[in-house]
Amino acid sequence: MPQAPHRDIALLSVSIDLGAGRRGVDMGPSALRIAGIREEIEKIGHTVSEIGTITAGGLETTESGEDVLPFLNEIYDVTGRTRAAVRKGLDRGCLPLVLGGDHSLAIGSVGAVADHYREQGMSIGVIWVDAHTDLNQPHTSPTGNIHGMPLAVLLGLGEPRLTRGGASVRPENVSVLGARDLDAGEKALIRELGVRVFTMSEVDERGVAACMDQALERANDGTCGFHLSLDLDALDPAIAPGVGTPVRGGLTYREGHLVCEKASRSGRLLSLELVELNPVLDDRNETALLGVGLVASALGATIL
Ligand SMILES: [Mn+2]
């Protein structure tokens, strides 16, 4: 197996939990740093550049607003700042790694990566590893929480302030892996758009390797590479208790690692993020440590 080539990793913390229904994921980036994320990346042989810490207003002191979508204004602002920071990392030739924070931040991170490559005449794919599909729209969401909507936004659907009037990715280049808790509106949208969802049933049936290979094929078909969005709730809550919205029946430790190892081995990874870590619900930072290991695998750490 070839070693991952040396990269300069642009590390960005986005402390936000306003898109989630419960508090705590804003502390995710701190927990990941305590778990040694920088050191683990450097151990692989990469260098790390800090490109900033983005902090959302506190829930108690931020206007929720009168919109259907709670905290839309603040989330719009945070995703805008995330977008700018990730662009800065890409302009420097770095591979962006974003630490969250709730999944709404992906609107900014993936948006930035798509913009960056679109300006060079290229498009990107997305592999979304998640217990949910995050394909809700304001009219289909049972909660209104924006962290259930980012993938729809990236496909150009939903609140116009968040989509900024366009799509960042094409449905044929998007796959969700690990899903097991979908809302009715999301199921309808999946059929309508042709987004490929590798459910946990399919992972059980066919094996995670076959599913990930197919996700990689889609993500790389006609694109310059792909973004990997890792929601820690994709992993089974037995090994990842520190997440905001745990759902039973998730990926095992090794399945999670194999997904990340395959992402690395493809040689086509453009950027990634690790989101939805909730230290308040975690047990001695074990979910953060798990997340650090997954990121290391995605960036080229190998067993042998
Ligand atoms: Mn998610």
Side-chain angles (χ1 to χ4, degrees), residues 226-250:
F226 69 96
H227 173 92
L228 180 66
S229 194
L230 286 174
D231 187 322
L232 277 163
D233 71 22
L235 281 299
D236 194 87
I239 56 162
V243 297
T245 42
V247 187
R248 283 206 282 185

Side-chain angles (χ1 to χ4, degrees), residues 103 128 130 132 134 147 150 231 233 275-276:
H103 220 159
W128 196 271
D130 203 314
H132 313 87
D134 297 348
H147 78 153
D231 187 322
D233 71 22
V275 300
E276 298 284 347

Side-chain angles (χ1 to χ4, degrees), residues 34-65:
I34 291 164
I37 193 148
R38 240 196 110 122
E39 296 73 13
E40 283 303 310
I41 296 168
E42 286 167 347
K43 232 189 265 174
I44 306 167
H46 302 305
T47 47
V48 177
S49 313
E50 297 285 349
I51 48 168
T53 300
I54 290 169
T55 311
L59 183 131
E60 293 78 9
T61 51
T62 303
E63 281 290 323
S64 165

Side-chain angles (χ1 to χ4, degrees), residues 241-264:
V243 297
T245 42
V247 187
R248 283 206 282 185
L251 298 173
T252 66
Y253 177 85
R254 271 309 310 164
E255 284 172 338
H257 273 275
L258 189 57
V259 164
C260 294
E261 288 162 1
K262 279 180 163 291
S264 168

